[in-house]
Amino acid sequence: GGFRLRFGDWRFALTSFHRPLLLAALVTGVRHFFVRQPPIYAHVAGQVQRWRRSIALRNAASVFAGSRPAILSAGLLAVLMFGYPPNAPPWRDYDNELLNLPLRWDAGWYLQIAQNGYSYIPAAGAEAQQNIVFFPAYPIATRVVALLLGNFQFSYVAAGTIVSLVSFLFALTYLYAFARDEIGEERAPAALWLMAAYPFALFFGAIYRESLYLLAALGAFHPFRRLMDSRIPAHCI
């Protein structure tokens, strides 16, 4: 498990969570000794309540729950009812079609980077496909979650899907706040449904970086603290 990297004469390795956890505990203890503020567990319950009261998050969760299962079901039914073109078998790692469903298109590249890192083969030539053309943020996030899930093969498929879905949920939250500023509170939910249901939206649940990119782009417009505070008037968010 973990990883080992080398940059010139510098070597970086993380093969166990024990040392980082001990270091984090030490840093936390020192910080709390010098800056005596309430620890995170003292205000987690209050923060969760703020999230539950957030109109933006509630609307986003409704659209998320109404669109993601429908798109997943449509994809699975298409595979079971129509199958695949003759002589064109898809990439399959499992016997279960539901588990194989995320393994489409560029998902293999992202999973390869998350598991093994970047590689470049000069001898392959300029026409060869290489994984260095993909940006690193999504594979890094996928790898971190996969390590937390046990660092076995299916962990990466599950992690990539989790990162995409969670990113999309919060992207919809930011989109609601942005749309509320532009078109009003009554029409803002329609913007969420259009984003979640238009044809390209299937990639927001795939092992792709689109959800993370959408979250980063929309998140640039609204601080998270203000977004989750339901007491702030709409015109101030």
Side-chain angles (χ1 to χ4, degrees), residues 37-200:
Q37 295 180 357
I40 188 171
Y41 60 80
H43 57 80
V44 166
Q47 185 68 30
V48 171
Q49 290 298 324
R50 290 176 62 199
W51 289 9
R52 291 179 58 185
R53 292 195 302 266
S54 170
I55 298 175
L57 185 57
R58 288 206 301 261
N59 277 272
S62 298
V63 174
F64 181 90
S67 62
R68 295 307 93 192
I71 292 178
L72 177 64
S73 300
L76 182 60
L77 286 175
V79 170
L80 297 178
M81 296 177 64
F82 303 107
Y84 306 102
N87 303 320
W91 168 30
R92 296 171 58 88
D93 277 349
Y94 310 99
D95 294 330
N96 189 305
E97 293 295 348
L98 180 61
L99 298 181
N100 281 313
L101 198 59
L103 306 180
R104 298 291 186 270
W105 306 300
D106 287 338
W109 290 108
Y110 289 112
L111 292 175
Q112 180 193 91
I113 296 168
Q115 288 181 277
N116 305 312
Y118 286 96
S119 62
Y120 177 69
I121 306 174
E127 300 299 325
Q129 295 183 348
Q130 308 263 10
N131 66 13
I132 59 172
V133 302
F134 295 93
F135 289 106
Y138 179 76
I140 290 174
T142 298
R143 181 172 181 82
V144 170
V145 176
L147 292 175
L148 296 175
L149 294 179
N151 195 28
F152 55 92
Q153 182 180 3
F154 185 70
S155 297
Y156 288 87
V157 178
T161 304
I162 290 171
V163 171
S164 293
L165 291 177
V166 172
S167 297
F168 186 57
L169 171 61
F170 283 101
L172 288 176
T173 306
Y174 281 112
L175 178 61
Y176 179 88
F178 181 75
R180 183 169 54 183
D181 286 350
E182 299 297 323
I183 60 177
E185 190 169 357
E186 292 185 357
R187 291 185 290 178
L192 271 63
W193 280 108
L194 289 173
M195 175 64 75
Y198 87 114
F200 185 85

Side-chain angles (χ1 to χ4, degrees), residues 174 178 181 216-223 226 237:
Y174 281 112
F178 181 75
D181 286 350
L218 290 170
F221 290 92
H222 294 277
R226 294 173 60 194
I237 296 183

